[in-house]
Amino acid sequence: MSSNECLFDVVIVGAGPAGMSAALTLGRAHRTTLLIDAGEGRNAPASAVHNFLTRDGTPPAELRELGRAELAAYPGVRVRDEAVTAVSCTDRGAFRLSLSGGDTAGARRLLLATGLADELPGPRGTGPLWGRSAFHCPYCHGYECTGKAVAVMGSEPPRVRLALQLSRFASDVALCTDGGALDPASRATLESNGVTVRCEPVARLEATGDRLEQIVFESGPPLDREALFVVNAPRQRSGLAALLGCRAFSDGCVEVNEFGQTTVPGVYAAGDMARRATVPMPLAAVVAAAASGTVAAAVIDQDLLSADFALPHPFARAGG
């Protein structure tokens, strides 16, 4: 580290629910912490956060403001509204980060909470509806579809399962295969449970503002709908984990253990960008991201405590 470069106990890259929760835990543990916020929240298009006890229905921007206000009470936590442009490991096992404003920062430990970004390969017109009347998670948005006319896009078994799940919420559910083949058994199950099946290719979505009104097919009558559940294609928002050499799964999620440790010593990851091998997909819930940040922060604190006093690391990761 250069003589004028500040060395923090922890630098957290990403200030969503995982990053802010980690910063809160570290601030309360009197760890010098830098929280770097590039301002790119995955849930920013959504009207509200759900399934977060005491904050159910809170707009994402308001939740971020509340988090910032709480962090301001802890003098050990600094927040910078910048992006990280480069990161490297020093010969002493610390990390050096280059920031978009031209400064650099040093960290004894690094927590990545940069999140995922959603690509939407759905029908034309999906983008403006995302997070408002086009969704992917029934636990985040299913309840708000209670009593509404809903469609599920796709023909694969998970899409059939989702259509059946939503039949408990919505007044009218349709599965739109967009030209995909649907096996006879699945079709029979859907129809026997009141789910309409439309197999024609979808031409476009029609909406007023961010509110879906109709699904228009290449043939056949349009379908009036108020909400649509589409398949999203999440990708890593940041390339920092790959740059550091963190092992990832085939879906792009960074591999962590139950303590948020990546395969690179000193590098942790939290939030929906990372998952354990026993979890088949990233968990998108805000409360799950926040919890993972809290766990990772506590383990980091114990990691540093072991280093400072030459103690055994109670959460040492076995293997690489």
Side-chain angles (χ1 to χ4, degrees):
M1 301 293 169
S2 62
S3 59
N4 60 350
E5 182 176 272
C6 185
L7 177 64
F8 292 89
D9 285 328
V10 187
V11 170
I12 303 169
V13 187
M20 286 197 292
S21 293
L24 178 62
T25 299
L26 291 164
R28 291 180 57 80
H30 288 281
R31 291 292 182 188
T32 58
T33 304
L34 175 62
L35 178 65
I36 301 174
D37 186 0
E40 299 174 338
R42 183 185 185 188
N43 64 354
S47 58
V49 167
H50 293 292
N51 269 336
F52 199 143
L53 190 63
T54 76
R55 289 291 178 260
D56 188 51
T58 303
E62 182 180 336
L63 189 66
R64 289 171 69 88
E65 290 175 4
L66 289 167
R68 284 284 194 102
E70 289 185 0
L71 292 176
Y74 297 94
V77 178
R78 291 176 56 188
V79 181
R80 295 192 63 163
D81 294 305
E82 296 186 64
V84 175
T85 58
V87 61
S88 60
C89 185
T90 72
D91 55 5
R92 295 185 179 182
F95 302 91
R96 177 179 288 114
L97 299 95
S98 299
L99 307 183
S100 55
D103 292 337
T104 59
R108 298 175 64 196
R109 298 294 184 269
L110 181 62
L111 174 58
L112 302 177
T114 47
L116 298 175
D118 292 298
E119 295 180 352
L120 304 175
R124 182 158 58 93
T126 302
L129 310 182
W130 185 240
R132 300 287 176 162
S133 56
F135 312 112
H136 78 284
C137 176
Y139 296 103
C140 295
H141 301 288
Y143 187 84
E144 283 61 45
C145 294
T146 299
K148 294 183 178 181
V150 174
V152 175
M153 191 72 62
S155 59
E156 300 80 6
R159 311 311 291 170
V160 173
R161 185 181 184 91
L162 177 58
L164 292 168
Q165 179 182 0
L166 290 171
S167 68
R168 190 169 66 248
F169 299 51
S171 62
D172 182 6
V173 180
L175 181 76
C176 301
T177 72
D178 195 20
L182 186 66
D183 66 272
S186 293
R187 183 166 193 143
T189 299
L190 290 164
E191 292 180 343
S192 66
N193 285 279
V195 177
T196 302
V197 176
R198 295 288 300 267
C199 293
E200 309 95 315
V202 174
R204 66 185 183 278
L205 305 179
E206 291 187 349
T208 297
D210 57 15
R211 299 298 171 189
L212 176 65
E213 294 180 344
Q214 282 191 333
I215 301 173
V216 179
F217 301 91
E218 292 184 2
S219 62
L223 182 67
D224 291 341
R225 295 289 105 166
E226 297 169 89
L228 174 65
F229 284 76
V230 298
V231 178
N232 63 314
R235 58 172 175 79
Q236 289 291 323
R237 188 176 295 277
S238 167
L240 295 178
L243 184 63
L244 288 162
C246 298
R247 191 158 63 208
F249 297 105
S250 58
D251 63 2
C253 279
V254 174
E255 180 182 344
V256 293
N257 64 9
E258 60 268 42
F259 308 122
Q261 296 165 314
T262 73
T263 53
V264 175
V267 180
Y268 294 73
D272 57 7
M273 65 167 289
R275 64 176 175 87
R276 304 190 301 274
T278 54
V279 179
M281 65 189 74
L283 297 177
V286 170
V287 69
S292 70
T294 299
V295 170
V299 175
I300 290 171
D301 178 58
Q302 290 295 316
D303 182 358
L304 291 169
L305 183 66
S306 295
D308 291 340
F309 295 97
L311 300 171
H313 188 347
F315 302 102
R317 179 164 189 159

